[in-house]
Amino acid sequence: MRSSFLSVCLWSLLPLATLAQPNPDRPDLRQGKYFSEADGAKALEQCGQAYTDRASWEKRAALIRQGIRDGMKLPAKPAFAPLKPIRHSLRKMDGYTVENVAFESLPGFYITGNLYKPVGVSGKTAAVLCPHGHTPNQDARFVEQTQQRCISMARMGAVVFVYDMLGYGDSKQCDHKIPEAAKLQTLNSIRALDFLTSLPEVDPERVAVSGESGGGTQTFLLTALDTRVKVSVPVVMVSAHFFGGCVCESGMPIHKRPTHETNNVEIAALAAPRPMIMISDGGDWTLNTPNVEYPHIRRIYGFYGAQDRIENVHLANEKHDYGPSKRAAAYRFLAKHLKLDLNRIQKNGQIDESPNVLLKPADLQVFNDAHPRPANAVVGDDAVMALLK
């Protein structure tokens, strides 16, 4: 009886008065529970009592993974359109190239982004898929921290694809906060991985995904659902007490199911035993990672004898971003596990991003007067939601 009780991780036993309650006026926050730091840690500890070895964890993992699929209403075989990539505006830079790319996910819905490729690398190479986080102006694909990581990863020898969130950049077929944004963004991540692994130069055994904040959520969700992801780098997102402040993260019931309740720590742990680095800081909801989230996930990796594949870099004096020191930690981890050449971006033993040339948003845009959005594109929230039915 005790084992059954623990296996469903009944957070409802915690006193309601102690929980940080979701705002009833924010439908995107209703599905996840938001805890104080102390109660988030307590709830995570209770969850951990349900598994003591690999077999009991994998039973729990299967329940969580199915809960994500059911909560997002993900079909077993999504009705994706043929990719038929649109690629244009190839620019040859110092050690890499960049071009503007679009392809269909669901029929009539286009994923938009930029493809960065290394120069001077022969044979099959690694690849990194880069979802991004939220920015006030919905320009996250164009900002400095996004361009820097894509350029540096490409200079290291990886093929890199960065793609827009719903409503961001060139992805203006619907609003970012449509009710099933989490479902569509997850389908888009799967389809973006299809595109990346379809490239003849990509080694399918050396594929990583890395994003920050909301892109961190996309990182661990995709890693949880798709075994083609071999290395995971979620940045400033894995938290026991915070579930993501947007409909695209916690707007569908993936954490609270009829059979169980879970959290983003357990979802991130579904990466095990694949290599993962959790990058955290002292200025957001990852402030307790070294003492709460990381030990919990490291214990799970221990069930596989794979504790050498899980790392945490914690930057106690930093805030919520994918800044230089966080990028440096990601580069070193990716170089180690994807067999990339860190020397290509180092000077005197230090990461050197000074050769990176940032482009203007207009240079990176996929759709413009010369390259209009395809005529079959479905536009409007209701029309896009209809695609998801």
Side-chain angles (χ1 to χ4, degrees):
M1 182 67 178
R2 183 173 180 271
S3 176
S4 175
F5 163 76
L6 289 173
S7 69
V8 296
C9 192
L10 290 174
W11 293 354
S12 58
L13 293 180
L14 290 171
L16 289 178
T18 69
L19 303 183
Q21 296 297 310
N23 182 342
D25 297 324
R26 290 281 303 279
D28 50 310
L29 300 186
R30 292 175 191 162
Q31 302 297 344
K33 280 190 173 179
Y34 290 76
F35 295 99
S36 68
E37 293 172 29
D39 284 325
K42 183 178 180 180
L44 183 62
E45 182 180 4
Q46 288 186 342
C47 285
Q49 295 176 46
Y51 31 90
T52 57
D53 54 20
R54 177 172 172 175
S56 55
W57 162 248
E58 290 188 346
K59 182 178 179 181
R60 172 73 175 170
L63 185 69
I64 296 168
R65 192 173 283 110
Q66 190 59 49
I68 296 170
R69 291 190 172 278
D70 292 344
M72 284 190 186
K73 298 182 283 188
L74 288 175
K77 294 184 178 180
F80 289 130
L83 284 171
K84 297 181 180 178
I86 301 166
R87 298 169 63 169
H88 66 82
S89 303
L90 177 68
R91 288 177 168 81
K92 296 181 179 180
M93 312 297 284
D94 182 12
Y96 65 97
T97 64
V98 59
E99 59 190 305
N100 308 347
V101 176
F103 49 85
E104 281 184 277
S105 176
L106 300 176
F109 192 90
Y110 284 83
I111 296 172
T112 48
N114 299 107
L115 181 66
Y116 294 76
K117 296 171 65 175
V119 171
V121 175
S122 60
K124 296 279 188 178
T125 190
V128 184
L129 187 64
C130 288
H132 62 68
H134 299 86
T135 55
N137 296 325
Q138 298 187 327
D139 59 352
R141 177 161 58 91
F142 310 131
V143 300
E144 186 262 352
Q145 66 176 13
T146 304
Q147 289 196 53
Q148 289 282 18
R149 65 177 160 124
C150 292
I151 294 169
S152 293
M153 290 173 187
R155 288 175 55 213
M156 290 167 64
V159 175
V160 181
F161 182 64
V162 57
Y163 57 111
D164 287 317
M165 280 183 167
L166 302 180
Y168 278 60
D170 288 284
S171 185
K172 297 295 175 63
Q173 294 177 238
C174 66
D175 185 74
H176 180 64
K177 293 189 176 183
I178 60 173
E180 294 188 2
K183 177 180 181 178
L184 183 51
Q185 287 199 165
T186 299
L187 289 170
N188 286 349
S189 292
I190 294 169
R191 200 60 175 145
L193 191 56
D194 289 343
F195 165 69
L196 195 55
T197 56
S198 75
L199 299 175
E201 62 269 40
V202 167
D203 178 356
E205 296 303 314
R206 291 191 290 153
V207 176
V209 59
S210 179
E212 83 289 357
S213 192
T217 300
Q218 293 180 69
T219 294
F220 57 67
L221 284 173
L222 180 62
T223 303
L225 296 172
D226 201 316
T227 58
R228 292 178 297 174
V229 176
K230 307 303 181 184
V231 179
S232 183
V233 185
V235 179
V236 297
M237 196 60 225
V238 181
S239 171
H241 66 273
F242 184 68
F243 291 66
C246 182
V247 65
C248 76
E249 299 172 272
S250 54
M252 298 185 78
I254 64 172
H255 300 100
K256 184 176 181 179
R257 305 295 308 150
T259 53
H260 66 284
E261 293 191 23
T262 187
N263 51 71
N264 284 345
V265 183
E266 289 192 309
I267 292 174
L270 296 175
R274 292 166 286 174
M276 178 170 69
I277 184 171
M278 303 159 61
I279 301 176
S280 54
D281 65 82
D284 62 20
W285 44 84
T286 62
L287 77 167
N288 299 313
T289 295
N291 301 315
V292 177
E293 292 85 359
Y294 176 61
H296 189 96
I297 295 181
R298 182 174 169 81
R299 172 174 172 256
I300 291 169
Y301 271 72
F303 297 155
Y304 296 86
Q307 289 183 322
D308 59 331
R309 299 181 191 174
I310 177 71
E311 295 182 19
N312 169 226
V313 168
H314 185 70
L315 301 159
N317 297 320
E318 295 198 8
K319 296 184 179 180
H320 190 73
D321 62 15
Y322 206 152
S325 51
K326 297 182 180 75
R327 295 196 298 270
Y331 300 155
R332 293 188 176 97
F333 191 81
L334 291 169
K336 176 181 177 181
H337 292 284
L338 295 183
K339 300 178 182 177
L340 297 172
D341 188 355
L342 196 63
N343 291 325
R344 292 167 63 107
I345 62 166
Q346 288 193 134
K347 184 177 181 180
N348 298 324
Q350 300 296 318
I351 302 297
D352 179 20
E353 295 183 319
S354 62
N356 298 354
V357 176
L358 304 186
L359 297 176
K360 296 177 180 178
D363 296 327
L364 297 170
Q365 285 179 333
V366 180
F367 299 138
N368 52 33
D369 290 343
H371 303 277
R373 188 165 59 195
N376 74 323
V378 173
V379 179
D381 293 358
D382 291 342
V384 171
M385 280 292 295
L387 290 178
L388 297 171
K389 303 301 181 185

